């Protein structure tokens, strides 16, 4: 069964939608900017709209999450890379076939998907079925134009599209030195941190932590650049070389186990407190807990005592054929109590970063949502998204206790969708909605891929500068609006960088710098998209600074469009 929004919410939709033009004009007319002291970006890796919906169904909170309130800007995000190469092509030209096209994305025509040979250097690319298989044209389109986490991270960290595998590296084969949000935040006087539930030198924390590398696979090189950087103050995640993915001690670690922490020599310096970066290494749950309050070291490296993910790999999960009943349920295997929860790590990071009068930039990644979706583990996907949502709750509590929404910009999003997750018969019913089976029960769902897709992902933003996203809208996807019950308007993932940069520079007194242009949406039929009117005072790609934000406003973009008929 599909779930319908509460009637009261639908009744307010038209009023809120009518307010959009008013607020956009106010934003763009030059009202005083909040100028965010704190910028916090939280990324649920691989979590498309249906992951967020599935977790809400499991919790019994569909439409009732903290980010569902009217104070939040709610949009979609397109995530395509510059091209599908895993190496620089030196063209800098956007592959137009990858730019999100709603008409192609929702094509329900039956089609035959054939096996193909993906780039051997890109393990995120969907290889297709082993034999020709009947499916839908939209599924094929979405599976064949996907970004990896490196290119997506680079887009969010620098506002620049690049090739898959690039960590803040241009298609011209040059490092984007000094151009990352981490480096810009540091230059503005802010403290900077990254927190993740996977190895801390993986693509997302590497990109948002300001590393620069031509390939995401150079984990040791990335780790060492992060450790040697001048701009990072807090790094937390997994990747401990002396432990197994299950969290048990590894009696014979291989040399390759040390790559996520910079290699054997770097790890030895960290362990003995002699690393030239001046890092204080913490490892145990008690050490993470202790950092939640009180004085903190100047620079903190938290490496939880587990090799891969905090929890997703704690026990073996045997693959289940899609046509068989799913035998697992969330938390059927007790959690590993020897590692901290993501929320605890985040609370520790906030305490480490919050003493600077200039504020902070913090990126938090629920990285193992992606790992669970790659493995088509519905129960572990729910566990990981709930862990991420608990961290979101911790951040919101911190803002409301220790800061204000006028001082802090909070962005929740994903870097891409993984798994092409839809309803339980979505292999024969295209884009079938998830089935809500009540709180505490896995929703009815099916993965239609084991890799990334080019689907839209959600964005929820609140606080200082959040209204800037309204000026970044590049298209409206009516089918997405019907399926996922939001306005259907979407931005490009590079907009996340532009909004964060504008707020950081406004707070640092540099708000007049020109933002980079937003990519344009492809022309599609009126059936797939609706035109997005541009206010007369909207910023152009080359001339006008990002718009300042009024200090308090109901968020018109957070409300869904007027209620369409329930999706079939």
């Amino acid at each position: 069964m599909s779930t319908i929004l509460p009637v009261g919410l639908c009744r307010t939709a038209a009023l809120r939608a009518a307010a959009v033009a008013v607020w956009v004009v106010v934003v763009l007319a030059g009202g005083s900017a909040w100028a965010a002291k704190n910028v916090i970006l939280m990324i649920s890796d691989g979590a498309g709209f249906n992951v967020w919906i599935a977790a809400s169904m499991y919790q019994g909170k569909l439409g009732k999450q903290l980010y569902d309130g009217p104070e939040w800007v709610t949009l979609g995000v397109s995530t395509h890379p510059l091209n599908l190469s895993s190496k620089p092509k030196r063209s800098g030209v956007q592959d137009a076939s990858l730019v999100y096209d709603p008409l192609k994305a929702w094509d329900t025509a039956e089609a035959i998907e054939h096996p193909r040979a993906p780039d051997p250097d890109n393990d995120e690319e969907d290889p297709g079925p082993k034999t020709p298989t009947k499916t839908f044209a939209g599924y094929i389109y979405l599976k064949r134009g996907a970004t990896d986490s490196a290119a997506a991270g680079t887009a969010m960290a620098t506002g620049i599209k690049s090739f898959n595998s690039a960590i803040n590296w241009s298609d011209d084969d040059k490092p984007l030195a000094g151009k990352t949000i981490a480096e810009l935040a540091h230059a503005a006087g802010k403290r900077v941190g990254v927190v993740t539930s996977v190895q801390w030198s993986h693509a997302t924390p590497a990109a948002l932590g300001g590393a620069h590398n031509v390939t995401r696979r150079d984990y040791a090189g990335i780790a060492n650049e992060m450790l040697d950087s001048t701009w990072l103050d807090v790094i937390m995640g997994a990747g401990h070389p002396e432990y197994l993915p299950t969290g048990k001690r590894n009696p014979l670690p291989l040399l390759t186990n040390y790559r996520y922490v910079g290699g054997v020599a770097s790890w030895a310096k960290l362990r003995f407190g002699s690393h030239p970066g001046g890092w204080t290494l913490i490892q145990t749950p008690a050490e993470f807990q202790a950092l939640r309050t009180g004085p903190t070291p100047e620079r903190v490296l938290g490496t939880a005592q587990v090799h891969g993910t905090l929890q997703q790999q704690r026990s073996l999960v045997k693959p289940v054929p899609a046509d068989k009943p799913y035998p697992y349920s969330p938390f059927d295997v007790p959690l590993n109590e020897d590692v901290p929860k993501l929320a605890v790590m985040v609370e520790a990071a906030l305490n480490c970063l919050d003493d600077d009068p200039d504020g902070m930039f913090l990126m938090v990644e629920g990285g193992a949502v992606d790992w669970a979706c790659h493995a088509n583990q519905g129960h572990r996907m729910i566990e990981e998204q709930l862990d991420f949502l608990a961290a979101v709750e911790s951040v919101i509590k911190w803002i409301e206790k220790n800061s204000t929404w006028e001082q802090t910009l909070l962005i929740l999003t994903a870097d891409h969708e993984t798994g092409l997750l839809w309803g339980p018969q979505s292999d024969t019913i295209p884009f079938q909605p998830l089935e809500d089976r009540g709180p505490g029960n896995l929703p009815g769902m099916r993965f239609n891929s084991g890799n990334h897709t080019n689907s839209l992902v959600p964005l929820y933003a609140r606080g200082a500068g959040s209204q800037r996203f309204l000026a970044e809208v590049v298209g409206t996807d009516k089918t997405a609006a019907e399926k996922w019950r939001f306005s259907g308007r979407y931005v490009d993932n590079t907009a996340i960088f532009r909004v964060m940069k504008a707020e950081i520079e406004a707070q640092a007194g540099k708000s007049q710098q020109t933002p980079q242009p937003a990519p344009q949406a492809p022309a599609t039929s009126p059936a797939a998209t609706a035109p997005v009117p541009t206010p007369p005072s909207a910023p152009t790609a080359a001339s006008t600074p990002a718009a300042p934000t009024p200090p308090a406003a109901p968020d018109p973009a957070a409300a869904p469009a007027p209620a369409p008929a329930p999706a079939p």
Side-chain angles (χ1 to χ4, degrees):
M1 64 180 178
S2 58
T3 301
I4 302 175
L5 287 176
V7 173
L9 186 59
C10 295
R11 286 175 178 170
T12 63
L15 180 60
R16 287 173 172 173
V20 169
V22 174
W23 281 110
V24 169
V25 169
V26 170
V27 168
L28 297 176
S32 60
W34 268 326
K37 174 183 177 181
N38 307 304
V39 176
I40 303 174
L41 173 63
M42 303 187 72
I43 299 169
S44 182
D45 196 309
F49 275 94
N50 283 335
V51 169
W52 298 71
I53 291 170
S56 295
M57 288 177 171
Y58 182 83
Q59 289 182 302
K61 292 184 177 181
L62 190 62
K64 302 175 183 178
Q65 296 283 6
L66 291 171
Y67 52 78
D68 286 321
E71 308 89 354
W72 292 77
V73 173
T74 302
L75 298 166
V77 182
S78 62
T79 64
H80 57 272
L82 183 70
N83 55 57
L84 294 182
S85 174
S86 59
K87 299 178 177 64
K89 294 181 71 173
R90 298 179 182 271
S91 72
V93 176
Q94 174 66 57
D95 182 339
S97 70
L98 304 180
V99 177
Y100 181 75
D101 185 335
L103 187 63
K104 294 178 180 178
W106 298 103
D107 190 346
T108 59
E110 291 188 353
I112 301 298
E113 184 176 14
H114 296 276
R116 62 198 181 107
D119 186 333
D121 292 324
N122 182 5
D123 55 9
E124 309 284 10
E125 189 177 358
D126 195 307
K130 294 181 179 179
T131 59
T133 302
K134 182 187 291 186
T135 183
F136 304 102
Y139 288 8
I140 296 174
Y141 167 78
L142 291 170
K143 290 195 285 186
R144 294 195 174 182
T147 186
D148 74 344
S149 292
T154 295
M156 290 186 282
T158 67
I160 297 172
K161 294 284 191 180
S162 197
F163 56 96
N164 281 339
S165 194
I167 299 291
N168 299 322
W169 202 272
S170 75
D171 193 49
D172 294 328
D173 201 15
K174 297 177 181 177
L176 297 170
K179 297 182 179 181
T180 70
I181 196 68
E183 292 168 283
L184 294 173
H186 173 75
K190 299 184 186 298
R191 287 174 63 78
V192 178
V194 292
V195 178
T196 180
S197 61
V198 301
Q199 293 102 332
W200 51 259
S201 55
H202 245 239
T204 303
L208 275 301
H212 313 81
N213 205 294
V214 71
T215 174
R216 59 178 293 174
R217 292 171 181 263
D218 182 12
Y219 296 109
I222 289 168
N224 283 321
E225 185 186 1
M226 294 172 75
L227 294 171
D228 294 339
S229 73
T230 58
W231 54 86
L232 281 170
D233 303 291
V234 171
I235 303 171
M236 293 182 181
H240 201 298
E242 299 166 17
Y243 286 81
L244 297 167
T246 59
K248 296 184 182 300
R249 190 87 185 192
N250 187 345
L252 294 171
L254 302 174
L255 289 178
T256 54
N257 290 79
Y258 291 86
R259 56 183 174 164
Y260 298 109
V261 294
V264 174
S266 292
W267 182 247
K269 292 175 185 177
L270 292 165
R271 291 276 272 156
F272 290 105
S274 60
H275 193 281
W279 294 96
T280 296
L281 176 66
I282 64 171
Q283 305 174 69
T284 68
E287 289 174 317
F288 283 96
Q289 285 280 358
L291 278 185
R292 294 169 64 223
T293 58
T296 61
E298 186 66 20
R299 305 185 85 186
V300 175
L301 173 67
T303 305
Q305 292 171 322
V306 67
H307 186 62
T309 68
L310 294 181
Q311 297 290 348
Q312 183 262 340
Q313 294 180 318
R314 68 185 184 274
S315 66
L316 177 66
V317 178
K318 294 182 179 179
V320 180
D323 59 347
K324 301 293 183 182
Y326 195 71
Y328 305 111
S329 59
F331 309 106
D332 53 4
V333 174
L335 294 176
N336 177 6
E337 299 295 336
D338 295 325
V339 296
K341 289 182 169 61
L342 183 62
V344 170
M345 298 170 76
V346 168
E347 290 164 11
L350 288 168
N351 186 46
C352 290
L353 297 171
D354 68 358
D355 291 335
D356 195 313
D358 293 314
M360 73 174 80
F361 168 70
L362 174 64
M363 190 288 301
V364 178
E365 182 199 27
V369 176
D370 179 63
W371 295 43
C373 290
H374 272 294
N376 290 178
Q377 296 171 353
H379 66 306
R380 292 282 163 90
M381 176 201 79
I382 294 291
E383 292 176 2
E384 294 298 331
Q385 182 67 5
L386 295 187
D387 191 45
F388 175 78
L389 294 177
V392 171
E393 185 173 355
S394 290
V395 169
I396 291 174
K397 287 180 178 178
W398 179 87
I399 293 170
E400 295 179 346
K401 180 181 178 181
N402 299 286
S403 183
T404 66
W405 289 108
E406 286 76 19
Q407 288 186 322
T408 302
L409 170 62
L410 175 59
I411 303 168
L412 316 178
T413 191
D415 55 347
H416 54 77
E417 195 271 351
T418 301
L420 199 57
L421 182 69
W422 284 97
Q425 292 88 39
S426 53
D427 58 327
T428 57
I429 304 173
F431 306 106
Q432 179 195 30
L434 306 185
E435 291 184 356
D436 192 342
R437 296 175 177 174
N441 297 308
L442 274 180
M445 56 190 181
R446 177 191 178 97
F447 291 98
N448 294 283
S449 173
N451 291 87
H452 298 183
T453 75
N454 200 18
S455 302
L456 292 180
V457 298
L459 179 144
Y460 308 97
R462 182 181 176 186
S466 57
Q467 299 285 331
R468 291 184 189 272
F469 282 108
L470 301 180
E472 291 280 356
V473 171
V474 294
T476 300
D477 185 334
K478 286 189 172 183
T479 306
E482 293 171 1
K483 294 290 186 181
W484 294 319
R485 307 296 180 171
F486 77 114
S487 68
R489 298 187 299 162
Y490 62 93
V491 299
D492 187 73
N493 58 2
T494 54
I496 294 170
F497 168 78
R498 286 190 292 276
V499 169
M500 294 191 298
K501 175 175 179 281
E503 283 304 299
I504 286 172
E505 291 186 341
Q507 200 266 342
K510 301 176 182 177
S511 59
Q512 296 306 308
Q513 294 196 15
T514 303
Q516 296 187 31
Q520 296 300 308
T524 54
S525 75
T529 60
V532 180
T534 302
S537 55
T540 63
S543 61
T544 310
T549 309
D555 170 29

